Amino acid sequence: MNLQAQKQETRKQELTTDLPWWLIPIIWEAQVQSGPSPVHPPTAPPAALLLAFPIPGDLIVTATSSSTAPLHCSVPSHLPPKPLLPQEAMASPTQGQVITCKAAVAYEPNKPLVIEDVQVAPPQAGEVRVKILFTALCHTDHYTWSGKDPEGLFPCILGHEAAGVVESVGEGVTEVQPGDHVIPCYQAECKECKFCKSGKTNLCGKVRGATGVGVMMNDMKSRFSVNGKPIYHFMGTSTFSQYTVVHDVSVAKINPQAPLDKVCLLGCGVPTGLGAVWNTAKVEAGSIVAVFGLGTVGLAVAEGAKAAGASRIIGIDIDNKKFDVAKNFGVTEFVNPKDHDKPIQQVLVDLTDGGLDYSFECIGNVSVMRAALECCHKGWGTSVIVGVAASGQEIATRPFQLVTGRVWKGTAFGGFKSRTQVPWLVDKYMNKEIKVDEYITHNMNLADINDAFHLLHEGGCLRCVLAMQI
């Protein structure tokens, strides 16, 4: 046998093997053409890979030395049924069916939420139905519930800071499948719109036209109903329901080892504060920073500033009891505006030899927003608006404040790209690089949601996490 014939025989032996189950449907339905070499890597799996999954059977793959010859698959007559693909194998028994579950429904502004049996329709194309296991309360939920949100619609299911498990997916969904652990994200990331492609923002325009009016993009209708009456979605998430339907561009797949009762906080408040520092302001080491409002978001700003190497982190709040807690997150000094006769911006300018390098407004008060800008240093000081003001409110300052070099910025979700970076934040938590547990001060159940909202407005509550079972 000449050398060429020996090579052909060796190659044939290498490629004669029993195929793994995942390759059967591929070769079953099409002939795989070889490339410029007898077996081209992009179109035919290497023999080593095939041999790593030996399964008894009669499937034989052969190849010739010709660069144009196809790989042939001989299929025995007793071939077993075509195996299920992973998504099919993990299909939920409720897939395609309406699920009735418990949810906290807001029927009117400022009225107690009502625990109802709600019907949750199956996900349509590009949608994901998620079983919510834990959800936290955020001031944004209360903001809409209060009637101050211009986009607030009633009746609705609030909630946007949560974690759960995928129950089923609609047509065309490929990046998550049933059983995946996920965090719903009110800030979508489609990776295709001009916002996502710009490289300049984490905003996404793909589904905003639907989420802003409480419906799903596919048919501009809700997936929630009570006795046939539609219930609006909220922020594209609606996590105060044991099951919810979200757009596939609004759900982040995370490490399945992460505790869902903790990492649910990474759906809003903590990333917003950290990202305001790291992504929006880009605080440098040695900077002097002021944080207005020492709630969860403000404390996350302090944590982010500490991690960035800020030399001084001044916390501003009207509740003196918050300082002891704030020190654990990096706050080095505390100022209560009520303790001073002068405007708070002047107090801070005097304390810092001319002003702050960076300030962060984490309250949503337009008067405080002005003070946060005007306490910044002339020439380079930057103030970031993080808090959400009530509908119709406007910010104001003298133009000279900006002419002389101060910068006013805003941030949404801390500038983080949700599907890409929320899993990264979860990993940072798992590696003990960021705090999460420390923000949780209360744990309750969904049935106690109205009591939990009362706690949220008390000084001792940062985040209350609700278990969804009743």
Side-chain angles (χ1 to χ4, degrees):
M1 183 181 296
N2 61 34
L3 182 60
Q4 183 63 27
Q6 288 178 340
K7 288 182 178 180
Q8 291 182 16
E9 182 62 24
T10 300
R11 192 61 174 160
K12 181 176 180 180
Q13 291 174 359
E14 288 177 348
L15 292 169
T16 301
T17 183
D18 298 316
L19 294 177
W21 71 264
W22 53 264
L23 193 56
I24 294 174
I26 299 173
I27 298 182
W28 199 342
E29 295 177 357
Q31 279 190 325
V32 181
Q33 297 294 328
S34 65
S37 62
V39 180
H40 192 266
T43 54
L49 182 60
L50 300 182
L51 291 169
F53 298 91
I55 298 176
D58 299 324
L59 287 175
I60 304 297
V61 174
T62 60
T64 70
S65 59
S66 169
S67 63
T68 59
L71 289 173
H72 295 288
C73 177
S74 61
V75 184
S77 59
H78 61 278
L79 185 72
K82 182 178 179 180
L84 294 175
L85 297 175
Q87 184 170 304
E88 298 172 309
M90 296 185 68
S92 164
T94 51
Q95 180 174 345
Q97 301 176 25
V98 172
I99 292 176
T100 297
C101 67
K102 297 293 185 182
V105 180
Y107 281 102
E108 299 178 62
N110 286 316
K111 299 291 185 181
L113 303 182
V114 180
I115 303 299
E116 292 273 28
D117 286 324
V118 302
Q119 287 72 54
V120 185
Q124 296 188 14
E127 299 174 3
V128 180
R129 189 160 61 182
V130 179
K131 180 177 183 179
I132 299 296
L133 297 179
F134 297 94
T135 188
L137 273 59
C138 174
H139 286 277
T140 304
D141 299 311
H142 186 271
Y143 168 70
T144 297
W145 185 22
S146 72
K148 296 177 181 178
D149 182 354
E151 290 189 352
L153 298 167
F154 297 89
C156 70
I157 297 174
L158 299 166
H160 65 284
E161 196 172 90
V165 178
V166 174
E167 176 271 336
S168 61
V169 301
E171 179 184 352
V173 176
T174 59
E175 295 197 18
V176 296
Q177 64 184 26
D180 284 345
H181 288 203
V182 295
I183 293 177
C185 301
Y186 72 87
Q187 185 60 259
E189 183 192 358
C190 72
K191 306 179 183 180
E192 299 172 349
C193 70
K194 69 176 183 179
F195 293 98
C196 288
K197 288 182 175 180
S198 72
K200 298 177 180 180
T201 180
N202 67 325
L203 301 180
C204 173
K206 179 73 177 287
V207 296
R208 185 68 181 86
T211 58
V213 293
V215 295
M216 300 299 290
M217 180 62 75
N218 197 54
D219 60 359
M220 298 302 286
K221 294 181 180 180
S222 174
R223 301 291 171 263
F224 297 110
S225 62
V226 173
N227 298 323
K229 181 179 180 180
I231 305 295
Y232 287 112
H233 294 248
F234 170 69
M235 294 180 72
T237 52
S238 291
T239 63
F240 291 168
S241 174
Q242 292 174 329
Y243 286 85
T244 188
V245 178
V246 301
H247 297 98
D248 62 347
V249 296
S250 301
V251 62
K253 179 179 176 181
I254 63 169
N255 183 343
Q257 301 302 315
L260 299 182
D261 60 330
K262 310 297 184 185
V263 298
C264 59
L265 267 63
L266 296 177
C268 181
V270 174
T272 297
L274 295 175
V277 177
W278 297 344
N279 302 324
T280 307
K282 297 180 171 62
V283 170
E284 308 95 346
S287 299
I288 303 174
V289 173
V291 184
F292 289 80
L294 296 178
T296 295
V297 175
L299 294 178
V301 167
E303 181 186 354
K306 180 181 179 181
S311 60
R312 297 172 66 185
I313 303 172
I314 304 172
I316 300 98
D317 203 289
I318 58 174
D319 186 351
N320 289 328
K321 296 190 298 292
K322 292 186 177 182
F323 184 40
D324 286 339
V325 173
K327 288 189 290 188
N328 298 326
F329 292 85
V331 172
T332 59
E333 303 162 55
F334 181 80
V335 177
N336 187 334
K338 291 184 175 181
D339 294 338
H340 301 271
D341 295 326
K342 293 186 292 187
I344 186 61
Q345 50 264 57
Q346 188 58 53
V347 172
L348 294 169
V349 168
D350 294 343
L351 277 175
T352 55
D353 188 27
L356 285 303
D357 298 309
Y358 298 95
S359 72
F360 299 84
E361 199 280 351
C362 305
I363 301 169
N365 182 304
V366 293
S367 296
V368 178
M369 292 174 188
R370 177 171 187 165
L373 174 75
E374 294 179 358
C375 73
C376 286
H377 203 289
K378 181 190 300 185
W380 63 77
T382 296
S383 184
V384 180
I385 296 174
V386 186
V388 179
S391 174
Q393 296 290 300
E394 296 180 352
I395 54 175
T397 191
R398 292 180 296 116
F400 192 70
Q401 294 286 334
L402 302 178
V403 170
T404 51
R406 296 171 187 83
V407 176
W408 226 344
K409 306 183 78 171
T411 189
F413 196 51
F416 283 117
K417 287 184 171 290
S418 57
R419 291 198 294 155
T420 301
Q421 293 182 293
V422 166
W424 173 77
L425 287 169
V426 170
D427 290 341
K428 285 183 77 65
Y429 163 72
M430 295 294 284
N431 293 331
K432 302 186 184 304
E433 296 173 20
I434 60 172
K435 299 179 186 293
V436 171
D437 301 29
E438 293 82 352
Y439 295 93
I440 301 171
T441 54
H442 297 79
N443 290 274
M444 303 176 78
N445 292 319
L446 179 63
D448 305 314
I449 191 167
N450 289 301
D451 293 335
F453 268 113
H454 289 305
L455 282 173
L456 189 64
H457 288 278
E458 297 179 0
C461 180
L462 290 176
R463 277 295 190 266
C464 178
V465 174
L466 303 179
M468 296 302 288
Q469 73 267 20
I470 293 182

